[in-house]
Amino acid sequence: TGFEVDLARYMARQLLGDERKLRVTPVPPGSRITILHTGLADMLIAAVTATEDRTSVFAFSDPYFLSGSLLLVPRHSAIQDLRDVAGKKVAVIEGSIQEGGLERIAPGAMPVKFWRVSEAVKALQAGRVDALAEDDILILALARQYPDLAAAGKPFRPRPYAVAMPRGDRDLVAWVNDQLRKARADGTYDALWNRYFGEAGTILLRP
């Protein structure tokens, strides 16, 4: 369930006439790219950040979301923002944008890699890491879910989410972009935004 799943269902209704014909495959962040690259999925609508290096492997749609990175810390942590993670263990998810980006913006931090977000959260709660760096919308959701954790600082380095597809399929890219425009025009995009992001949606950036 979620914003992206419902966006995929919208596209399925446009293409197949029935969203039940859509095959949704949940994937861990660390295996998203591999699943598309090996042909096990036709497209990824799974918090995929469109970066310049990834454009050499995949084709991307127009952005449908903008997400910065944010820190999740224990509620009474002394970490208040990115400047405080020097010498601290910071959890990152393998395959995420934070895995490679943390060293550039917080060179003093000590990244600790995890395969799943749930594993990183457990490590944070157990004190094995000092913070978790992930996309802002996920960090805000986790902070609401776990009373002992809190978001720290402000989002940094906002980047676009886009639908990832195999390179060379220009017709598919054009069709997906057309559906994204239609979703905005017919009110679907706004309805999903309000449904899933609520009050947080007022502070998030829209592409």
Side-chain angles (χ1 to χ4, degrees):
T1 61
F3 178 81
E4 291 174 312
V5 176
D6 279 356
L7 198 58
R9 287 177 176 143
Y10 173 85
M11 293 186 187
R13 290 195 297 271
Q14 306 304 310
L15 179 63
L16 306 172
D18 185 351
E19 67 180 48
R20 291 174 297 180
K21 295 181 180 179
L22 174 70
R23 186 173 66 184
V24 178
T25 303
V27 293
S31 66
R32 293 173 303 174
I33 306 302
T34 300
I35 283 177
L36 183 60
H37 189 62
T38 56
L40 295 176
D42 298 301
M43 62 177 69
L44 285 177
I45 309 180
V48 180
T49 304
T51 61
E52 185 174 348
D53 57 336
R54 288 176 177 173
T55 59
S56 64
V57 183
F58 307 115
F60 286 103
S61 71
D62 295 334
Y64 63 83
F65 193 86
L66 284 177
S67 177
S69 296
L70 194 59
L71 296 175
L72 185 70
V73 299
R75 181 159 295 278
H76 301 295
S77 171
I79 297 175
Q80 299 297 314
D81 58 38
L82 197 60
R83 294 172 297 180
D84 299 326
V85 298
K88 304 294 185 180
K89 294 180 180 179
V90 180
V92 294
I93 306 303
E94 289 195 49
S96 70
I97 196 70
Q98 290 80 19
E99 180 185 3
L102 184 65
E103 294 179 359
R104 290 194 292 269
I105 57 177
M110 297 182 290
V112 180
K113 298 179 183 180
F114 292 87
W115 187 247
R116 297 180 183 275
V117 172
S118 58
E119 296 170 352
V121 170
K122 289 180 180 178
L124 180 60
Q125 291 175 314
R128 298 197 301 274
V129 295
D130 302 294
L132 165 62
E134 248 299 338
D135 292 351
D136 51 10
I137 188 64
L138 176 58
I139 293 298
L140 292 173
L142 291 171
R144 289 194 299 269
Q145 183 178 352
Y146 298 101
D148 57 328
L149 303 177
K154 297 180 180 180
F156 50 91
R157 291 178 65 88
R159 294 175 181 269
Y161 285 176
V163 181
M165 293 159 279
R167 285 194 72 196
D169 196 338
R170 295 183 178 180
D171 289 341
L172 181 58
V173 173
W175 182 84
V176 169
N177 285 336
D178 188 46
Q179 301 314 306
L180 291 174
R181 286 190 291 270
K182 288 180 179 178
R184 293 178 185 275
D186 66 19
T188 298
Y189 184 92
D190 286 342
L192 294 179
W193 184 279
N194 294 331
R195 175 182 177 185
Y196 287 106
F197 305 136
E199 293 181 0
T202 63
I203 62 173
L204 296 173
L205 300 173
R206 294 199 190 198

PDB file of all heavy atoms in Angstrom, residues 33 37 48-60 95-101 104 157 159-160 164-165 167:
ATOM      1  N   ILE A  33      17.389  -2.083  -8.047  1.00  0.00           N
ATOM      2  CA  ILE A  33      18.050  -1.853  -9.320  1.00  0.00           C
ATOM      3  C   ILE A  33      18.302  -3.174 -10.046  1.00  0.00           C
ATOM      4  O   ILE A  33      18.098  -3.290 -11.255  1.00  0.00           O
ATOM      5  CB  ILE A  33      19.386  -1.102  -9.109  1.00  0.00           C
ATOM      6  CG1 ILE A  33      19.139   0.187  -8.294  1.00  0.00           C
ATOM      7  CG2 ILE A  33      20.029  -0.788 -10.438  1.00  0.00           C
ATOM      8  CD1 ILE A  33      18.150   1.139  -8.913  1.00  0.00           C
ATOM      9  N   HIS A  37      17.078  -4.399 -13.752  1.00  0.00           N
ATOM     10  CA  HIS A  37      18.158  -4.669 -14.700  1.00  0.00           C
ATOM     11  C   HIS A  37      18.081  -6.084 -15.262  1.00  0.00           C
ATOM     12  O   HIS A  37      18.448  -6.319 -16.422  1.00  0.00           O
ATOM     13  CB  HIS A  37      19.512  -4.460 -14.012  1.00  0.00           C
ATOM     14  CG  HIS A  37      20.678  -4.497 -14.944  1.00  0.00           C
ATOM     15  ND1 HIS A  37      20.834  -3.590 -15.978  1.00  0.00           N
ATOM     16  CD2 HIS A  37      21.746  -5.333 -15.015  1.00  0.00           C
ATOM     17  CE1 HIS A  37      21.947  -3.868 -16.639  1.00  0.00           C
ATOM     18  NE2 HIS A  37      22.512  -4.921 -16.077  1.00  0.00           N
ATOM     19  N   VAL A  48      12.799   5.534  -6.168  1.00  0.00           N
ATOM     20  CA  VAL A  48      14.058   5.511  -6.911  1.00  0.00           C
ATOM     21  C   VAL A  48      14.480   6.943  -7.230  1.00  0.00           C
ATOM     22  O   VAL A  48      13.758   7.674  -7.910  1.00  0.00           O
ATOM     23  CB  VAL A  48      13.923   4.707  -8.215  1.00  0.00           C
ATOM     24  CG1 VAL A  48      15.254   4.696  -8.971  1.00  0.00           C
ATOM     25  CG2 VAL A  48      13.490   3.276  -7.918  1.00  0.00           C
ATOM     26  N   THR A  49      15.628   7.328  -6.728  1.00  0.00           N
ATOM     27  CA  THR A  49      16.138   8.662  -6.989  1.00  0.00           C
ATOM     28  C   THR A  49      16.792   8.704  -8.358  1.00  0.00           C
ATOM     29  O   THR A  49      17.643   7.866  -8.671  1.00  0.00           O
ATOM     30  CB  THR A  49      17.165   9.070  -5.913  1.00  0.00           C
ATOM     31  OG1 THR A  49      16.558   8.967  -4.621  1.00  0.00           O
ATOM     32  CG2 THR A  49      17.632  10.493  -6.129  1.00  0.00           C
ATOM     33  N   ALA A  50      16.389   9.648  -9.163  1.00  0.00           N
ATOM     34  CA  ALA A  50      16.966   9.807 -10.502  1.00  0.00           C
ATOM     35  C   ALA A  50      18.284  10.558 -10.374  1.00  0.00           C
ATOM     36  O   ALA A  50      18.308  11.742 -10.031  1.00  0.00           O
ATOM     37  CB  ALA A  50      16.010  10.561 -11.409  1.00  0.00           C
ATOM     38  N   THR A  51      19.382   9.857 -10.596  1.00  0.00           N
ATOM     39  CA  THR A  51      20.702  10.457 -10.524  1.00  0.00           C
ATOM     40  C   THR A  51      21.397  10.330 -11.872  1.00  0.00           C
ATOM     41  O   THR A  51      21.045   9.497 -12.705  1.00  0.00           O
ATOM     42  CB  THR A  51      21.566   9.767  -9.460  1.00  0.00           C
ATOM     43  OG1 THR A  51      21.732   8.381  -9.805  1.00  0.00           O
ATOM     44  CG2 THR A  51      20.922   9.866  -8.089  1.00  0.00           C
ATOM     45  N   GLU A  52      22.414  11.152 -12.069  1.00  0.00           N
ATOM     46  CA  GLU A  52      23.101  11.172 -13.358  1.00  0.00           C
ATOM     47  C   GLU A  52      23.774   9.832 -13.648  1.00  0.00           C
ATOM     48  O   GLU A  52      23.743   9.347 -14.785  1.00  0.00           O
ATOM     49  CB  GLU A  52      24.140  12.289 -13.374  1.00  0.00           C
ATOM     50  CG  GLU A  52      24.826  12.470 -14.713  1.00  0.00           C
ATOM     51  CD  GLU A  52      25.737  13.672 -14.745  1.00  0.00           C
ATOM     52  OE1 GLU A  52      25.677  14.495 -13.809  1.00  0.00           O
ATOM     53  OE2 GLU A  52      26.507  13.798 -15.720  1.00  0.00           O
ATOM     54  N   ASP A  53      24.376   9.209 -12.636  1.00  0.00           N
ATOM     55  CA  ASP A  53      25.051   7.941 -12.894  1.00  0.00           C
ATOM     56  C   ASP A  53      24.056   6.838 -13.232  1.00  0.00           C
ATOM     57  O   ASP A  53      24.370   5.928 -14.016  1.00  0.00           O
ATOM     58  CB  ASP A  53      25.925   7.536 -11.697  1.00  0.00           C
ATOM     59  CG  ASP A  53      25.140   7.429 -10.402  1.00  0.00           C
ATOM     60  OD1 ASP A  53      24.089   8.076 -10.292  1.00  0.00           O
ATOM     61  OD2 ASP A  53      25.587   6.680  -9.505  1.00  0.00           O
ATOM     62  N   ARG A  54      22.847   6.908 -12.684  1.00  0.00           N
ATOM     63  CA  ARG A  54      21.854   5.876 -12.987  1.00  0.00           C
ATOM     64  C   ARG A  54      21.267   6.024 -14.385  1.00  0.00           C
ATOM     65  O   ARG A  54      20.735   5.060 -14.939  1.00  0.00           O
ATOM     66  CB  ARG A  54      20.738   5.908 -11.946  1.00  0.00           C
ATOM     67  CG  ARG A  54      21.160   5.371 -10.582  1.00  0.00           C
ATOM     68  CD  ARG A  54      20.057   5.504  -9.556  1.00  0.00           C
ATOM     69  NE  ARG A  54      20.454   4.914  -8.269  1.00  0.00           N
ATOM     70  CZ  ARG A  54      19.736   5.013  -7.162  1.00  0.00           C
ATOM     71  NH1 ARG A  54      18.582   5.687  -7.162  1.00  0.00           N
ATOM     72  NH2 ARG A  54      20.159   4.450  -6.040  1.00  0.00           N
ATOM     73  N   THR A  55      21.351   7.212 -14.956  1.00  0.00           N
ATOM     74  CA  THR A  55      20.818   7.397 -16.310  1.00  0.00           C
ATOM     75  C   THR A  55      21.640   6.635 -17.344  1.00  0.00           C
ATOM     76  O   THR A  55      21.196   6.444 -18.475  1.00  0.00           O
ATOM     77  CB  THR A  55      20.777   8.886 -16.701  1.00  0.00           C
ATOM     78  OG1 THR A  55      22.097   9.436 -16.629  1.00  0.00           O
ATOM     79  CG2 THR A  55      19.851   9.666 -15.781  1.00  0.00           C
ATOM     80  N   SER A  56      22.835   6.198 -16.982  1.00  0.00           N
ATOM     81  CA  SER A  56      23.633   5.395 -17.901  1.00  0.00           C
ATOM     82  C   SER A  56      23.147   3.951 -17.946  1.00  0.00           C
ATOM     83  O   SER A  56      23.556   3.176 -18.812  1.00  0.00           O
ATOM     84  CB  SER A  56      25.109   5.427 -17.483  1.00  0.00           C
ATOM     85  OG  SER A  56      25.292   4.816 -16.215  1.00  0.00           O
ATOM     86  N   VAL A  57      22.275   3.583 -16.996  1.00  0.00           N
ATOM     87  CA  VAL A  57      21.770   2.213 -16.912  1.00  0.00           C
ATOM     88  C   VAL A  57      20.279   2.140 -17.204  1.00  0.00           C
ATOM     89  O   VAL A  57      19.805   1.192 -17.825  1.00  0.00           O
ATOM     90  CB  VAL A  57      22.062   1.606 -15.524  1.00  0.00           C
ATOM     91  CG1 VAL A  57      21.612   0.155 -15.449  1.00  0.00           C
ATOM     92  CG2 VAL A  57      23.542   1.723 -15.192  1.00  0.00           C
ATOM     93  N   PHE A  58      19.529   3.160 -16.768  1.00  0.00           N
ATOM     94  CA  PHE A  58      18.074   3.136 -16.882  1.00  0.00           C
ATOM     95  C   PHE A  58      17.550   4.407 -17.520  1.00  0.00           C
ATOM     96  O   PHE A  58      18.238   5.430 -17.569  1.00  0.00           O
ATOM     97  CB  PHE A  58      17.422   2.973 -15.505  1.00  0.00           C
ATOM     98  CG  PHE A  58      17.931   1.799 -14.734  1.00  0.00           C
ATOM     99  CD1 PHE A  58      18.631   1.971 -13.563  1.00  0.00           C
ATOM    100  CD2 PHE A  58      17.717   0.505 -15.189  1.00  0.00           C
ATOM    101  CE1 PHE A  58      19.114   0.895 -12.859  1.00  0.00           C
ATOM    102  CE2 PHE A  58      18.192  -0.577 -14.493  1.00  0.00           C
ATOM    103  CZ  PHE A  58      18.898  -0.390 -13.321  1.00  0.00           C
ATOM    104  N   ALA A  59      16.300   4.342 -17.963  1.00  0.00           N
ATOM    105  CA  ALA A  59      15.567   5.534 -18.399  1.00  0.00           C
ATOM    106  C   ALA A  59      14.665   5.965 -17.259  1.00  0.00           C
ATOM    107  O   ALA A  59      14.157   5.124 -16.506  1.00  0.00           O
ATOM    108  CB  ALA A  59      14.737   5.216 -19.637  1.00  0.00           C
ATOM    109  N   PHE A  60      14.465   7.261 -17.117  1.00  0.00           N
ATOM    110  CA  PHE A  60      13.638   7.786 -16.035  1.00  0.00           C
ATOM    111  C   PHE A  60      12.501   8.633 -16.598  1.00  0.00           C
ATOM    112  O   PHE A  60      12.656   9.328 -17.596  1.00  0.00           O
ATOM    113  CB  PHE A  60      14.464   8.643 -15.076  1.00  0.00           C
ATOM    114  CG  PHE A  60      15.378   7.843 -14.185  1.00  0.00           C
ATOM    115  CD1 PHE A  60      16.733   7.772 -14.456  1.00  0.00           C
ATOM    116  CD2 PHE A  60      14.884   7.174 -13.086  1.00  0.00           C
ATOM    117  CE1 PHE A  60      17.577   7.039 -13.650  1.00  0.00           C
ATOM    118  CE2 PHE A  60      15.714   6.441 -12.267  1.00  0.00           C
ATOM    119  CZ  PHE A  60      17.078   6.367 -12.541  1.00  0.00           C
ATOM    120  N   GLY A  95      22.285   0.334  -1.365  1.00  0.00           N
ATOM    121  CA  GLY A  95      21.605   0.675  -2.597  1.00  0.00           C
ATOM    122  C   GLY A  95      20.873   2.002  -2.545  1.00  0.00           C
ATOM    123  O   GLY A  95      20.313   2.428  -3.554  1.00  0.00           O
ATOM    124  N   SER A  96      20.853   2.648  -1.382  1.00  0.00           N
ATOM    125  CA  SER A  96      20.148   3.923  -1.253  1.00  0.00           C
ATOM    126  C   SER A  96      21.049   5.076  -1.670  1.00  0.00           C
ATOM    127  O   SER A  96      22.282   4.937  -1.757  1.00  0.00           O
ATOM    128  CB  SER A  96      19.685   4.136   0.192  1.00  0.00           C
ATOM    129  OG  SER A  96      20.806   4.376   1.038  1.00  0.00           O
ATOM    130  N   ILE A  97      20.442   6.235  -1.902  1.00  0.00           N
ATOM    131  CA  ILE A  97      21.215   7.412  -2.266  1.00  0.00           C
ATOM    132  C   ILE A  97      22.086   7.863  -1.105  1.00  0.00           C
ATOM    133  O   ILE A  97      23.152   8.445  -1.278  1.00  0.00           O
ATOM    134  CB  ILE A  97      20.259   8.540  -2.735  1.00  0.00           C
ATOM    135  CG1 ILE A  97      21.035   9.616  -3.488  1.00  0.00           C
ATOM    136  CG2 ILE A  97      19.503   9.135  -1.560  1.00  0.00           C
ATOM    137  CD1 ILE A  97      21.530   9.170  -4.819  1.00  0.00           C
ATOM    138  N   GLN A  98      21.656   7.571   0.118  1.00  0.00           N
ATOM    139  CA  GLN A  98      22.423   7.973   1.296  1.00  0.00           C
ATOM    140  C   GLN A  98      23.711   7.169   1.444  1.00  0.00           C
ATOM    141  O   GLN A  98      24.681   7.646   2.027  1.00  0.00           O
ATOM    142  CB  GLN A  98      21.583   7.819   2.570  1.00  0.00           C
ATOM    143  CG  GLN A  98      20.441   8.808   2.701  1.00  0.00           C
ATOM    144  CD  GLN A  98      19.228   8.410   1.872  1.00  0.00           C
ATOM    145  OE1 GLN A  98      19.086   7.247   1.466  1.00  0.00           O
ATOM    146  NE2 GLN A  98      18.327   9.350   1.633  1.00  0.00           N
ATOM    147  N   GLU A  99      23.721   5.945   0.923  1.00  0.00           N
ATOM    148  CA  GLU A  99      24.918   5.107   1.060  1.00  0.00           C
ATOM    149  C   GLU A  99      26.139   5.790   0.456  1.00  0.00           C
ATOM    150  O   GLU A  99      27.214   5.809   1.050  1.00  0.00           O
ATOM    151  CB  GLU A  99      24.698   3.752   0.381  1.00  0.00           C
ATOM    152  CG  GLU A  99      25.897   2.834   0.489  1.00  0.00           C
ATOM    153  CD  GLU A  99      25.726   1.539  -0.293  1.00  0.00           C
ATOM    154  OE1 GLU A  99      24.689   1.372  -0.969  1.00  0.00           O
ATOM    155  OE2 GLU A  99      26.640   0.705  -0.222  1.00  0.00           O
ATOM    156  N   GLY A 100      25.970   6.359  -0.732  1.00  0.00           N
ATOM    157  CA  GLY A 100      27.090   7.025  -1.372  1.00  0.00           C
ATOM    158  C   GLY A 100      27.199   8.499  -1.041  1.00  0.00           C
ATOM    159  O   GLY A 100      28.289   9.072  -1.104  1.00  0.00           O
ATOM    160  N   GLY A 101      26.084   9.109  -0.672  1.00  0.00           N
ATOM    161  CA  GLY A 101      26.085  10.547  -0.467  1.00  0.00           C
ATOM    162  C   GLY A 101      26.528  11.008   0.904  1.00  0.00           C
ATOM    163  O   GLY A 101      26.966  12.152   1.062  1.00  0.00           O
ATOM    164  N   ARG A 104      30.105  12.403   1.333  1.00  0.00           N
ATOM    165  CA  ARG A 104      30.384  13.700   0.718  1.00  0.00           C
ATOM    166  C   ARG A 104      29.900  14.860   1.581  1.00  0.00           C
ATOM    167  O   ARG A 104      30.523  15.919   1.601  1.00  0.00           O
ATOM    168  CB  ARG A 104      29.733  13.773  -0.669  1.00  0.00           C
ATOM    169  CG  ARG A 104      30.398  12.858  -1.686  1.00  0.00           C
ATOM    170  CD  ARG A 104      29.958  13.205  -3.099  1.00  0.00           C
ATOM    171  NE  ARG A 104      28.551  12.879  -3.314  1.00  0.00           N
ATOM    172  CZ  ARG A 104      28.119  11.715  -3.769  1.00  0.00           C
ATOM    173  NH1 ARG A 104      28.987  10.756  -4.039  1.00  0.00           N
ATOM    174  NH2 ARG A 104      26.849  11.493  -3.957  1.00  0.00           N
ATOM    175  N   ARG A 157      19.933  18.008   0.684  1.00  0.00           N
ATOM    176  CA  ARG A 157      20.153  17.482  -0.669  1.00  0.00           C
ATOM    177  C   ARG A 157      18.893  16.889  -1.292  1.00  0.00           C
ATOM    178  O   ARG A 157      18.829  15.685  -1.577  1.00  0.00           O
ATOM    179  CB  ARG A 157      21.267  16.436  -0.650  1.00  0.00           C
ATOM    180  CG  ARG A 157      22.645  17.021  -0.378  1.00  0.00           C
ATOM    181  CD  ARG A 157      23.699  15.921  -0.321  1.00  0.00           C
ATOM    182  NE  ARG A 157      23.856  15.266  -1.598  1.00  0.00           N
ATOM    183  CZ  ARG A 157      24.680  15.676  -2.568  1.00  0.00           C
ATOM    184  NH1 ARG A 157      25.385  16.762  -2.411  1.00  0.00           N
ATOM    185  NH2 ARG A 157      24.771  14.991  -3.694  1.00  0.00           N
ATOM    186  N   ARG A 159      16.344  15.509  -3.879  1.00  0.00           N
ATOM    187  CA  ARG A 159      16.526  14.894  -5.186  1.00  0.00           C
ATOM    188  C   ARG A 159      15.184  14.351  -5.664  1.00  0.00           C
ATOM    189  O   ARG A 159      14.311  14.049  -4.854  1.00  0.00           O
ATOM    190  CB  ARG A 159      17.551  13.768  -5.124  1.00  0.00           C
ATOM    191  CG  ARG A 159      18.981  14.219  -4.807  1.00  0.00           C
ATOM    192  CD  ARG A 159      19.890  13.015  -4.657  1.00  0.00           C
ATOM    193  NE  ARG A 159      21.252  13.379  -4.332  1.00  0.00           N
ATOM    194  CZ  ARG A 159      22.215  13.601  -5.229  1.00  0.00           C
ATOM    195  NH1 ARG A 159      21.929  13.500  -6.526  1.00  0.00           N
ATOM    196  NH2 ARG A 159      23.437  13.902  -4.861  1.00  0.00           N
ATOM    197  N   PRO A 160      15.038  14.188  -6.974  1.00  0.00           N
ATOM    198  CA  PRO A 160      13.749  13.733  -7.517  1.00  0.00           C
ATOM    199  C   PRO A 160      13.583  12.223  -7.505  1.00  0.00           C
ATOM    200  O   PRO A 160      14.532  11.476  -7.770  1.00  0.00           O
ATOM    201  CB  PRO A 160      13.771  14.254  -8.956  1.00  0.00           C
ATOM    202  CG  PRO A 160      15.223  14.245  -9.313  1.00  0.00           C
ATOM    203  CD  PRO A 160      15.963  14.594  -8.050  1.00  0.00           C
ATOM    204  N   ALA A 164      11.585   4.345 -12.909  1.00  0.00           N
ATOM    205  CA  ALA A 164      12.738   3.813 -13.628  1.00  0.00           C
ATOM    206  C   ALA A 164      12.290   2.726 -14.594  1.00  0.00           C
ATOM    207  O   ALA A 164      11.465   1.879 -14.246  1.00  0.00           O
ATOM    208  CB  ALA A 164      13.767   3.257 -12.654  1.00  0.00           C
ATOM    209  N   MET A 165      12.841   2.752 -15.789  1.00  0.00           N
ATOM    210  CA  MET A 165      12.473   1.801 -16.842  1.00  0.00           C
ATOM    211  C   MET A 165      13.724   1.390 -17.616  1.00  0.00           C
ATOM    212  O   MET A 165      14.758   2.054 -17.516  1.00  0.00           O
ATOM    213  CB  MET A 165      11.463   2.461 -17.796  1.00  0.00           C
ATOM    214  CG  MET A 165      10.110   2.753 -17.164  1.00  0.00           C
ATOM    215  SD  MET A 165       9.199   4.050 -18.072  1.00  0.00           S
ATOM    216  CE  MET A 165       9.966   5.547 -17.408  1.00  0.00           C
ATOM    217  N   ARG A 167      16.451   1.162 -20.413  1.00  0.00           N
ATOM    218  CA  ARG A 167      16.911   2.149 -21.391  1.00  0.00           C
ATOM    219  C   ARG A 167      16.491   1.726 -22.792  1.00  0.00           C
ATOM    220  O   ARG A 167      16.386   0.553 -23.109  1.00  0.00           O
ATOM    221  CB  ARG A 167      18.439   2.266 -21.353  1.00  0.00           C
ATOM    222  CG  ARG A 167      18.967   3.021 -20.154  1.00  0.00           C
ATOM    223  CD  ARG A 167      20.426   3.390 -20.375  1.00  0.00           C
ATOM    224  NE  ARG A 167      20.564   4.456 -21.362  1.00  0.00           N
ATOM    225  CZ  ARG A 167      21.710   4.755 -21.972  1.00  0.00           C
ATOM    226  NH1 ARG A 167      22.795   4.052 -21.726  1.00  0.00           N
ATOM    227  NH2 ARG A 167      21.761   5.739 -22.834  1.00  0.00           N
TER     228      ARG A 167
END
